[in-house]
């Protein structure tokens, strides 16, 4: 309560000057001073005229970068009556300690329950506890007309522009291809971003039964039942559907080489698709699933799993550096050993998730910048700027510029730290990066214009984080999509009526399968009708109303495929 | 009397898939008895002077749908008309698809097809059986077909939603059964869910003509399904065969999978090698409709050339025709709605000449590779080799005397088919058979067909074709999975509420109907059932996979050659 009052009285009056820093944005680096007031960057330049008595920080030529945005967290996530051990306070503290000043958490409504209610519940939790700004993705865990209306409400009124669907978790969250097609079509019209958890849940279910049948019950069964091909297959399918529906696609948790390859191939063909490797896939591998220490092996359990191929992290870092993968999250979702032990006799029952929110920035610096794969500007792009662009928060977030939020980090590339569960800011007993020595760390973190981390001390305040609404149609994703929609007009060939003989036939022999009704998506007919209800968007853009494919009528002799760049 | 004919071909250049050589060929009782020079043969034998021309194994058309029922109609070319056309083009064996209507059962449908073909077919034939639904009875039928009826290939559909389409889980189970039986899994690869959605959309846009067919079946949707079936095949360690490769992107997926070590074969068809999908926009409805087939012909006119190149380099291996013809009146069932147009194109007669013209004349492949893709590879994949697909002593006397210099113009006026349109109309092709010998008898000579209705024999095929299963067996021997031996976890365990899984209202509907019988299905795998024909395979572990336990620090992925 204390903070609510303070906020109202405009307590963000903190004024701050950073002198002699090298400002690093995603496009360039330059030396200048930064003056902040009321949580915003007010001036950038040399010899700034600032009020007296301003707290001044001497950067001594060190890099000043936009605070990181962790685009994927699961803090305080409910799981079968328990909750992940890092709540919004613990989680955002860990984030800030690592140089991340904004997180985007996933709302996971129980299947059958209201999306808006779940969203409000997450808002309450986070408003109460978050120490840094946050936004929310909403996961679509079931699909029907009312879900559709709720998505529209969330998108237009609640500031949610990204929605995750699951291709895995059969009989729980998993969507059929037809449902995916409808969701993609719907979100493509409303200007949302579709995120997918890409794994083929049907095959996983078969493989799990097989593993358990063979008597494999430990954490190694988790990775054996989820081979990386299943991840790549689902990514491929999601790309196909996104391309058909002309909807921007975002693949969460890119864990394997082959999944990353599919994304980079699709981008080369012109698809609007973004890939999100996470701290864990960039920093470690799946060999630990075979650890003789059950608790350690279980701490690595996440889906898609870490790849047993130890060359995976290096490969993913390379693609991140080359721009084939674009954003990084942590998918931070931590359970205690006792919680993981729910699955001690059956790996399918182990709660899934790994840590990574605190380690993300340092790990990428160490693996990608120190090794010369990317420069400091690209580092800012993949840890902050690109995420801000996709979420439509740019340049408020993700850039050091006048008018932007004063979420900054002074980055010291020379600090060397050893990651260990003994010192980390998470409540979990294990750290999947245990013992890893990383170069690069924040020496000062400024969040909402206030110094949160200085001299290794964290001074975060629960409940000070604000919800940042994200608006639809982010330019970064939708400029291309809109242009393609304008081109995509399908026309029938004008022909005279066919007036020749017509065979007799039994019309209904097709569709006579007994299980046909069960297989058909139950939501089909009403959804189609809504597409044609004359609904228009409230936003300023003249958005196309009809679902538009990306193809155009092919003249005999050739077609121009506008998703192909060649 | 049929097989007692004796025949001598003198001065032939025998072309097999591995080499060409000059020799004489002596045939008796439908078999090749001698090959060589100065053969000692009985007097009075009919002799053909090849004059140095090529004599090659008769073509095998691995994919036909003669006489196929569709909603009360029947494909215009029956087994008589169809096999006549095949022989006229140099094809001496066809493999037709049995398409059981749902509820009938595989065995009943198989017998129906046997009846039809036995009474009408003019050349040897075999049968693939399509799996159009999935439950325990189907699995038992499959076992019977493999054991007692000489079937070693089954096709599943990833398309035709609510009719033939199977779910991923069902396909996983079917593939597991197929692998255990030593058969080949064939796939009609298109994503039926997306197609159904697109069909609604296109019809809503007022597009009802044949162009709607290709607009609703974009090639990505084909490539996606190929990719998915490759994934399931890898998981189940089951050999895969993609029927009707129609687009560049689908072919690319196959080529990539082969480079990664997947046992997968791709079958482009006469139509995809010879023409393209630009005709769907023809103003002549009947002509446009004649091209309707699934996956559709690609509107990209460079597709045939691309597929020919992949066929030449070995990334695609076999060719069929997917010959399935309907008259204009039959097609007109869909005159107001393209989704009702019966699907299929011609190609059994034109297949050999089109491949010769597109691939050999252009220098993409030599005559030996031509034999491989038109005959030998098919015989190997389906376990007919070397009885079929090779000119060798002991092989069936199915031969073609090929003239590379003949030029023909393909036209509906002169083709051996019962339909009004030929999708290759006006195409000038070089290369054609001069003489065709089937079962040791001359069936084509001097441009005249001498076929006998009902003379074709059913050729039974054994499971576990070497060409396919040698690698599969080696992999299954390697694939042993073990759990990690650990002490019991004895720390604290969190209390949980009862699992919320399966609270979804729709979950029962989402579960595949075959899921419940899964347990019995699984048990049957271990029931000690063994194949009568597969004596050498009893040592093959029943449940197998291509992965091995990864030791910490790396894993050997044996499907990856790198």
């Amino acid at each position: 309560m204390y903070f609510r009052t303070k906020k109202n009285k405009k307590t963000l009056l903190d004024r701050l000057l950073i002198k002699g820093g090298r400002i690093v944005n995603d496009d360039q680096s330059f030396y200048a001073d930064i003056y902040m007031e009321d949580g915003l960057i007010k001036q950038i330049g040399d010899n700034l005229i600032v009020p007296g008595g301003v707290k001044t920080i001497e950067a001594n030529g060190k890099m000043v970068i936009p605070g990181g945005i962790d685009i994927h967290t699961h803090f305080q996530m409910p799981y079968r009556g328990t909750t992940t051990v890092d709540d919004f306070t613990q989680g955002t503290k860990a984030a800030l300690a690592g140089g991340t000043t904004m997180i985007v958490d996933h709302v996971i409504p129980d299947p059958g329950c209201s999306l808006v209610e779940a969203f409000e519940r997450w808002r309450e939790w986070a408003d109460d506890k978050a120490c840094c700004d946050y936004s929310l993705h909403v996961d679509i865990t079931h699909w029907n007309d009312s879900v559709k209306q709720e998505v529209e409400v969330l998108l237009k009124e609640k500031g949610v522009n990204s929605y995750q669907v699951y291709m895995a978790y059969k009989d729980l969250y998993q969507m059929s291809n037809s449902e995916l097609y409808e969701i993609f079509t719907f979100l493509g019209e409303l200007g949302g971003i579709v995120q997918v958890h890409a794994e083929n849940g049907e095959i996983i279910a078969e493989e799990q039964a097989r593993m358990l049948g063979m008597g494999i019950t430990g954490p190694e069964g988790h990775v054996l039942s989820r081979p990386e091909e299943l991840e790549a297959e689902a990514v491929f399918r999601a790309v196909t559907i996104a391309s058909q529906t002309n909807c921007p696609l975002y693949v969460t948790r890119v864990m394997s080489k082959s999944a990353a390859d599919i994304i980079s191939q699709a981008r080369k063909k012109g698809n609007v698709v973004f890939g999100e490797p996470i701290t864990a896939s960039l920093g470690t591998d799946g060999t630990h699933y075979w650890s003789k220490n059950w608790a350690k092996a279980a701490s690595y359990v996440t889906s898609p799993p870490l790849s047993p191929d130890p060359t995976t992290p290096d490969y993913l870092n390379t693609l991140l550096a080359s721009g084939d993968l674009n954003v990084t999250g942590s998918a931070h979702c931590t359970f205690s050993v006792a919680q993981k032990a729910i699955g001690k006799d059956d790996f399918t029952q182990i709660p899934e998730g790994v840590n990574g929110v605190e380690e993300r920035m340092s790990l990428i610096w160490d693996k990608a910048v120190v090794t010369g794969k990317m420069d400091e500007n690209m580092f800012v792009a993949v840890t902050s700027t690109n995420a801000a662009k996709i979420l439509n928060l740019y340049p408020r977030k993700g850039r050091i510029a006048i008018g932007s939020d004063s979420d900054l980090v002074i980055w010291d590339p020379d600090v060397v730290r050893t990651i260990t569960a003994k010192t980390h800011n998470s409540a979990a007993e294990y750290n999947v990066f245990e013992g890893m020595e990383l170069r690069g760390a924040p020496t000062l973190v400024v969040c909402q214009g206030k110094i949160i981390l200085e001299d290794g001390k964290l001074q975060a305040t629960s409940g000070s984080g604000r919800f940042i609404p994200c608006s639809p149609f982010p330019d970064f994703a939708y400029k291309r999509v809109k242009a393609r929609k304008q081109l995509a007009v399908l026309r029938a060939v004008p022909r005279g009526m066919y007036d020749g003989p017509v065979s007799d036939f039994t019309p209904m022999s097709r569709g006579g399968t007994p299980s046909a009704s069960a297989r058909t998506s139950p939501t089909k007919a009403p959804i189609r009708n809504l597409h044609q209800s004359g609904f228009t968007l409230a936003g300023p853009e003249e958005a196309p109303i009809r679902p538009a494919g990306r193809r155009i009528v092919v003249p005999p002799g050739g077609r121009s495929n506008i998703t192909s760049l060649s | 009397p049929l097989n007692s004919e004796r025949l001598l071909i003198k001065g032939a250049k025998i072309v097999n898939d591995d080499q060409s050589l000059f020799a004489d060929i002596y045939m008796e009782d439908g078999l090749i008895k001698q090959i060589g020079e100065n053969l000692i043969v009985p007097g009075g034998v009919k002799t053909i002077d090849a004059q140095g021309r090529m004599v090659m194994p008769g073509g095998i058309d691995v994919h036909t749908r003669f006489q196929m029922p569709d909603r009360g109609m029947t494909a215009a070319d029956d087994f008589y008309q169809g096999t006549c056309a095949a022989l006229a083009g140099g094809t001496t064996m066809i493999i037709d698809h049995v398409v059981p209507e749902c509820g009938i059962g595989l065995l009943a449908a198989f017998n129906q097809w046997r009846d039809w073909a036995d009474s009408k077919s003019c050349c040897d034939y075999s049968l693939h059986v399509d799996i159009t639904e999935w439950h325990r009875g189907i699995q038992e039928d499959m076992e019977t077909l493999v054991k007692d009826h000489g079937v070693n290939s089954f096709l599943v559909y990833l398309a035709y939603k609510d009719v033939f389409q199977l779910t991923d889980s069902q396909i996983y189970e079917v593939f597991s059964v197929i692998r255990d039986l030593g058969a080949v899994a064939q796939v009609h690869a298109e994503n039926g869910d997306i197609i159904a959605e697109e069909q609604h959309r296109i019809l809503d846009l007022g597009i009802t003509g044949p162009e709607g067919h290709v607009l609703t079946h974009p090639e990505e949707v084909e490539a996606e399904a190929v990719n998915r079936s490759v994934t399931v095949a890898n998981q189940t360690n089951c050999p895969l065969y993609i029927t009707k490769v129609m687009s560049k992107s689908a072919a690319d997926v196959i080529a990539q999978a082969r480079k990664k070590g997947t046992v997968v074969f791709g079958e482009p068809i006469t139509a995809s090698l010879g023409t393209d999908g630009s005709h769907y926009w023809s103003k002549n409805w009947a002509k446009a409709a004649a091209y309707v087939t699934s996956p559709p012909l690609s509107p990209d006119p460079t597709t045939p050339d691309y597929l020919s190149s992949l066929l030449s380099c070995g990334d695609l291996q076999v060719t069929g025709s997917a010959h399935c013809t309907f008259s204009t009146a039959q097609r007109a069932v869909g005159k107001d709605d393209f989704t009702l147009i019966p699907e299929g194109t011609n190609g059994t007669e034109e297949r050999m000449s089109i491949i010769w013209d597109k691939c050999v004349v252009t220098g993409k492949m030599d005559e030996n590779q031509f034999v491989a893709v038109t005959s030998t590879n098919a015989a190997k994949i389906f376990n007919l080799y070397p009885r079929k697909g090779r000119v060798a002593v002991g092989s069936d006397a199915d031969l073609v005397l090929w003239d590379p210099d003949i030029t023909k113009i393909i036209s509906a006026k002169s083709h051996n088919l019962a339909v009004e349109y030929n999708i290759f109309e006006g195409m000038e092709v070089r290369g054609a058979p001069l003489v065709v010998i089937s079962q040791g008898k001359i069936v084509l000579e001097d441009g005249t067909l001498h076929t006998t209705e009902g003379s074709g024999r059913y050729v039974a095929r054994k499971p576990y074709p070497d060409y396919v299963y040698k690698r599969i067996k080696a992999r299954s021997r390697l694939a042993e999975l073990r759990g990690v031996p650990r002490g019991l976890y004895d720390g604290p365990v969190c209390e949980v509420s009862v699992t919320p899984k399966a609270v979804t209202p729709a979950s029962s509907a989402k579960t595949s109907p075959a899921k419940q019988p899964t347990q019995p299905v699984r048990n049957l795998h271990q029931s000690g059932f063994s194949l009568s024909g597969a004596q050498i395979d009893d040592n093959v572990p029943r449940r197998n996979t291509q992965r091995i336990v990864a030791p910490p620090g790396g894993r050997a992925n044996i499907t990856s050659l790198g």
Side-chain angles (χ1 to χ4, degrees):
Chain A
M1 283 319 290
Y2 176 62
F3 275 100
R4 292 281 158 76
T5 346
K6 272 185 85 179
K7 258 187 213 169
N8 294 342
K9 287 188 184 170
K10 245 184 157 229
T11 51
L12 299 175
L13 268 173
D14 301 54
R15 292 164 175 180
L16 203 57
L17 179 68
I18 299 179
K19 277 184 83 82
R22 188 154 68 96
I23 298 175
V24 179
N25 276 320
D26 70 325
D27 55 344
Q28 60 172 350
S29 310
F30 57 96
Y31 287 93
D33 300 344
I34 307 167
Y35 173 64
M36 292 164 270
E37 199 181 293
D38 296 341
L40 296 177
I41 296 171
K42 294 288 188 185
Q43 297 179 52
I44 293 177
D46 296 323
N47 309 315
L48 300 177
I49 298 162
V50 300
V54 165
K55 172 159 171 101
T56 303
I57 294 157
E58 197 59 60
N60 291 323
K62 288 219 172 68
M63 285 181 273
V64 183
I65 61 175
I69 300 175
D70 187 337
I71 197 164
H72 188 163
T73 66
H74 293 277
F75 296 150
Q76 214 165 328
M77 190 186 82
Y79 177 79
R80 293 163 69 180
T82 72
T83 308
T84 51
V85 291
D86 290 321
D87 63 6
F88 276 97
T89 299
Q90 194 85 36
T92 51
K93 272 187 182 170
L96 288 163
T100 293
T101 55
M102 177 174 180
I103 59 112
V104 191
D105 206 76
H106 276 268
V107 175
I108 309 180
D110 282 333
C113 298
S114 158
L115 268 62
V116 174
E117 278 170 28
F119 168 80
E120 298 293 357
R121 197 157 58 244
W122 253 261
R123 280 289 315 263
E124 255 172 56
W125 291 338
D127 282 341
D128 228 32
K129 297 196 160 176
C131 308
C132 67
D133 287 351
Y134 72 96
S135 282
L136 294 171
H137 309 290
V138 174
D139 295 0
I140 297 176
T141 51
H142 63 297
W143 184 242
N144 56 36
D145 263 359
S146 74
V147 171
K148 199 167 163 177
Q149 280 154 16
E150 290 198 299
V151 168
E152 206 171 318
V153 170
L154 288 167
L155 219 135
K156 288 183 181 167
E157 298 165 19
K158 304 285 185 181
V160 176
N161 76 0
S162 46
Y163 299 84
Q164 174 164 273
V165 292
Y166 293 86
M167 296 165 84
Y169 303 107
K170 188 175 175 180
D171 298 337
L172 183 60
Y173 299 147
Q174 186 176 321
M175 295 284 156
S176 70
N177 291 335
S178 310
E179 288 168 331
L180 293 174
Y181 183 99
E182 285 167 12
I183 293 169
F184 282 33
T185 306
F186 183 68
L187 286 171
E189 287 166 49
L190 292 184
I193 303 280
V194 169
Q195 302 191 311
V196 290
H197 176 111
E199 282 185 296
N200 187 318
E202 302 221 350
I203 303 179
I204 290 169
E206 299 280 344
E207 291 282 301
Q208 284 177 336
R210 191 164 76 85
M211 292 301 154
L212 291 173
M214 295 170 70
I216 297 177
T217 58
E220 69 277 13
H222 178 73
V223 65
L224 289 173
S225 60
R226 306 177 102 100
E228 71 174 72
E229 268 194 292
L230 304 192
E231 185 190 353
E233 187 283 315
V235 172
F236 196 109
R237 190 150 36 100
V239 165
T240 305
I241 298 173
S243 166
Q244 279 318 111
T245 52
N246 197 20
C247 174
L249 178 70
Y250 180 107
V251 180
T252 58
R253 300 202 229 204
V254 176
M255 304 300 282
S256 67
K257 290 177 170 184
S258 28
D261 282 342
I262 303 276
I263 292 171
S264 50
Q265 275 168 34
R267 290 175 62 88
K268 282 179 194 30
K269 287 188 191 149
N271 289 304
V272 180
V273 53
F274 307 101
E276 169 206 281
I278 64 170
T279 321
S281 60
L282 292 166
T284 184
D285 60 55
T287 51
H288 305 280
Y289 292 118
W290 281 267
S291 168
K292 297 255 178 178
N293 176 346
W294 188 92
K296 183 181 176 196
S299 72
Y300 288 83
V301 168
T302 188
S303 290
L306 286 156
S307 169
D309 175 349
T311 62
T312 303
D314 195 54
Y315 191 83
L316 295 181
N317 277 292
T318 304
L319 290 197
L320 188 62
S322 71
D324 281 1
L325 301 172
N326 308 88
V327 275
T328 54
S330 64
H332 189 93
C333 181
T334 45
F335 289 97
S336 67
V337 172
Q339 287 173 321
K340 293 265 183 187
I342 294 166
K344 70 188 168 62
D345 302 318
D346 176 355
F347 65 85
T348 66
Q349 303 297 313
I350 301 173
E352 298 174 353
V354 290
N355 65 293
V357 71
E358 184 172 1
E359 300 81 3
R360 187 177 63 103
M361 306 273 284
S362 290
L363 195 127
I364 295 168
W365 186 271
D366 184 82
K367 297 277 176 190
V369 186
V370 172
T371 57
K373 286 181 198 272
M374 62 172 73
D375 58 24
E376 68 219 30
N377 306 101
M378 190 67 180
F379 174 74
V380 167
V382 300
T383 55
S384 178
T385 312
N386 290 348
K389 286 179 176 172
I390 290 172
L391 295 165
N392 222 355
L393 296 174
Y394 186 80
R396 178 178 174 185
K397 302 283 187 189
R399 187 166 186 87
I400 298 179
I402 293 171
S404 298
D405 280 359
S406 47
D407 289 352
L408 303 179
V409 171
I410 296 184
W411 190 259
D412 187 340
D414 301 320
V415 177
V416 178
R417 290 188 308 175
T418 303
I419 306 287
T420 166
K422 293 192 192 82
T423 57
H424 69 193
N425 284 285
S426 160
E429 298 99 324
Y430 279 89
N431 188 311
V432 296
F433 311 103
E434 187 72 31
M436 202 177 276
E437 205 173 74
L438 300 180
R439 277 152 294 181
T443 53
L444 182 100
V445 175
V446 178
C447 181
Q448 297 180 47
K450 293 168 61 176
I451 296 173
I452 304 290
L453 178 82
E454 195 176 17
D455 303 328
K457 283 206 189 65
L458 202 58
Q459 290 151 328
T461 322
S462 284
S464 60
R466 300 163 299 180
F467 174 72
I468 311 289
C470 303
S471 52
F473 293 106
D475 272 353
F476 194 56
Y478 267 91
K479 272 187 182 163
R480 288 174 288 166
V481 168
K482 282 183 199 163
R484 289 171 196 189
K485 277 187 185 172
Q486 272 149 26
L487 276 179
V489 181
L490 291 170
R491 259 186 302 270
V493 174
R495 290 188 183 92
M497 293 285 288
Y498 173 86
D499 51 5
V502 179
S503 274
D504 285 332
F505 73 110
T506 354
M508 283 317 291
S509 129
R510 291 204 175 183
T513 331
S515 54
S517 61
R519 283 192 205 158
T520 314
S521 141
T523 56
K524 197 107 163 241
I527 282 169
R528 284 284 151 196
N529 293 343
L530 272 178
H531 285 179
Q532 290 139 14
S533 65
F535 150 78
T536 51
L537 288 160
E541 296 91 354
E542 272 299 309
I545 300 158
R546 314 209 112 216
R550 98 229 95 82
R551 293 143 312 159
I552 57 173
V553 171
V554 182
R559 76 164 177 173
S560 46
N561 181 345
I562 61 163
T563 67
S564 159
L565 299 179
S566 59
Chain B
L2 199 79
N3 287 335
S4 66
E5 311 231 344
R6 294 163 175 182
L7 205 55
L8 178 68
I9 301 181
K10 281 186 79 84
K13 180 182 174 193
I14 297 176
V15 180
N16 276 319
D17 70 324
D18 55 343
Q19 61 171 350
S20 308
L21 60 114
F22 287 92
D24 301 342
I25 308 166
Y26 173 66
M27 292 162 269
E28 198 181 296
D29 296 336
L31 296 177
I32 296 171
K33 294 288 186 185
Q34 298 180 54
I35 291 178
E37 288 169 59
N38 309 314
L39 301 178
I40 298 160
V41 300
V45 164
K46 173 161 171 100
T47 303
I48 298 168
D49 191 348
Q51 294 177 325
R53 286 205 188 87
M54 287 180 272
V55 173
M56 53 179 67
I60 300 175
D61 186 342
V62 282
H63 189 161
T64 65
R65 290 168 185 271
F66 297 148
Q67 215 166 325
M68 192 186 80
D70 180 3
R71 289 166 290 164
M73 303 179 290
T74 305
D77 290 316
D78 63 8
F79 276 97
Y80 174 68
Q81 194 85 41
T83 50
C84 282
L87 288 166
T91 293
T92 54
M93 177 173 183
I94 57 116
I95 311 184
D96 206 77
H97 277 269
V98 176
V99 190
E101 272 182 56
C102 291
I104 283 188
L106 305 187
L107 220 48
F110 173 82
N111 288 328
Q112 176 66 69
W113 256 258
R114 281 292 312 265
D115 281 349
W116 289 338
D118 281 341
S119 62
K120 294 196 163 181
S121 181
C122 309
C123 66
D124 286 352
Y125 74 97
S126 200
L127 295 171
H128 308 291
V129 177
D130 296 0
I131 311 286
T132 50
E133 58 183 328
W134 184 238
H135 51 75
R136 187 176 170 175
I138 298 290
Q139 185 184 349
E140 286 163 358
D141 278 1
M142 287 169 73
E143 288 174 8
T144 312
L145 285 169
V146 171
K147 268 203 300 192
D148 305 332
H149 296 279
V151 173
N152 70 7
S153 49
F154 299 92
L155 180 135
V156 295
Y157 293 88
L158 274 63
Y160 303 108
K161 187 174 178 181
D162 300 335
V163 187
F164 298 147
Q165 186 176 325
L166 301 187
T167 66
D168 290 358
S169 312
Q170 291 171 330
I171 289 165
Y172 182 101
E173 287 167 13
V174 174
F175 280 18
S176 302
V177 171
I178 287 176
R179 177 214 53 224
D180 290 346
L181 293 173
V184 175
Q186 300 189 306
V187 165
H188 176 111
E190 284 186 294
N191 186 316
D193 289 343
I194 300 180
I195 291 168
E197 298 281 343
E198 292 279 304
Q199 285 177 336
H200 283 290
R201 187 168 75 85
I202 297 288
L203 287 173
D204 285 352
L205 288 170
I207 299 175
T208 58
E211 70 277 17
H213 178 74
V214 65
L215 291 173
T216 53
H217 292 71
E219 72 174 73
E220 271 187 301
V221 168
E222 184 189 353
E224 187 282 318
V226 173
N227 185 62
R228 188 149 39 98
S229 35
V230 165
T231 306
V232 180
N234 278 343
Q235 279 319 110
T236 51
N237 195 25
C238 176
L240 180 67
Y241 179 106
I242 310 288
T243 59
K244 297 208 219 187
V245 176
M246 304 299 281
S247 67
K248 289 177 171 184
S249 28
D252 282 341
V253 173
I254 295 170
Q256 277 167 30
R258 289 177 63 85
K259 282 177 195 30
K260 287 186 192 152
T262 306
V263 180
V264 54
F265 306 97
E267 169 206 281
I269 63 170
T270 320
S272 59
L273 292 166
T275 183
D276 61 58
S278 52
H279 305 280
Y280 291 118
W281 281 266
S282 167
K283 299 255 179 179
N284 176 347
W285 187 91
K287 183 181 175 196
Y291 289 84
V292 170
T293 188
S294 285
L297 287 156
S298 169
D300 176 346
T302 63
T303 303
D305 195 50
Y306 191 83
L307 295 181
S308 306
S309 296
L310 291 199
L311 187 63
S312 306
C313 77
D315 280 356
L316 301 173
Q317 298 74 32
V318 272
T319 54
S321 63
H323 189 96
C324 183
T325 47
F326 290 95
S327 69
T328 299
Q330 289 173 322
R331 301 265 188 194
V333 160
K335 69 188 169 61
D336 302 318
D337 176 353
F338 63 86
T339 64
L340 298 176
I341 300 173
E343 298 175 353
T345 51
N346 63 290
T348 195
E349 183 172 3
E350 300 82 2
R351 187 177 64 103
M352 306 272 285
S353 289
I354 282 183
I355 296 170
W356 186 270
D357 185 80
K358 297 272 178 191
C359 298
V360 186
V361 172
T362 57
K364 289 186 184 197
M365 60 172 73
D366 58 24
E367 68 219 31
N368 306 101
Q369 176 74 356
F370 174 77
V371 167
V373 301
T374 55
S375 179
T376 311
N377 290 349
K380 287 179 176 171
I381 291 172
F382 297 110
N383 227 356
L384 298 164
Y385 188 80
R387 176 180 172 187
K388 303 285 186 187
R390 185 163 188 89
V391 181
V393 173
S395 297
D396 279 1
D398 288 352
L399 300 178
V400 172
L401 179 60
W402 189 261
D403 187 338
D405 301 320
I406 300 182
T407 301
K408 281 198 311 189
I409 294 177
I410 298 175
S411 167
K413 293 193 191 80
S414 57
H415 67 195
N416 286 284
L417 308 175
V419 287
E420 301 95 327
Y421 280 90
N422 188 309
I423 59 167
F424 309 105
E425 186 72 34
M427 195 180 283
E428 196 175 311
V429 289
R430 278 151 294 182
L434 269 185
V435 176
V436 176
I437 297 162
S438 171
Q439 297 179 50
K441 290 173 56 181
I442 296 174
V443 290
L444 177 81
E445 195 176 20
D446 303 327
T448 317
L449 274 174
H450 311 279
T451 55
T452 317
E453 194 163 352
S455 61
R457 301 164 298 181
Y458 174 73
V459 182
R461 297 172 289 138
K462 286 184 177 174
Y464 296 104
D466 268 355
Y467 189 63
V468 175
Y469 266 88
K470 273 186 181 164
R471 287 176 289 166
I472 297 285
K473 284 182 199 167
R475 290 174 195 189
S476 53
R477 276 194 288 273
L478 276 179
E480 207 178 312
L481 289 170
R482 263 183 303 268
V484 174
R486 291 187 184 92
L488 274 174
Y489 173 87
D490 52 5
V493 179
C494 194
E495 292 285 319
V496 284
S497 53
V498 182
T499 170
K501 289 207 178 185
V503 292
T504 331
S507 80
S508 63
K510 278 190 207 161
T511 313
S512 89
K515 200 67 206 154
Q516 298 320 318
T518 290
Q519 228 28 59
V521 165
R522 296 267 158 207
N523 291 344
L524 270 177
H525 287 179
Q526 290 140 16
S527 67
F529 153 76
S530 64
L531 290 161
S532 60
Q535 57 289 2
I536 49 170
D537 303 301
D538 293 346
N539 58 339
V540 175
R542 290 287 172 224
R543 300 290 316 172
N544 43 30
T545 160
Q546 86 294 6
R547 288 146 317 159
I548 59 172
V549 173
R555 73 166 177 173
N557 182 344
I558 61 161
T559 67
S560 159
L561 299 178

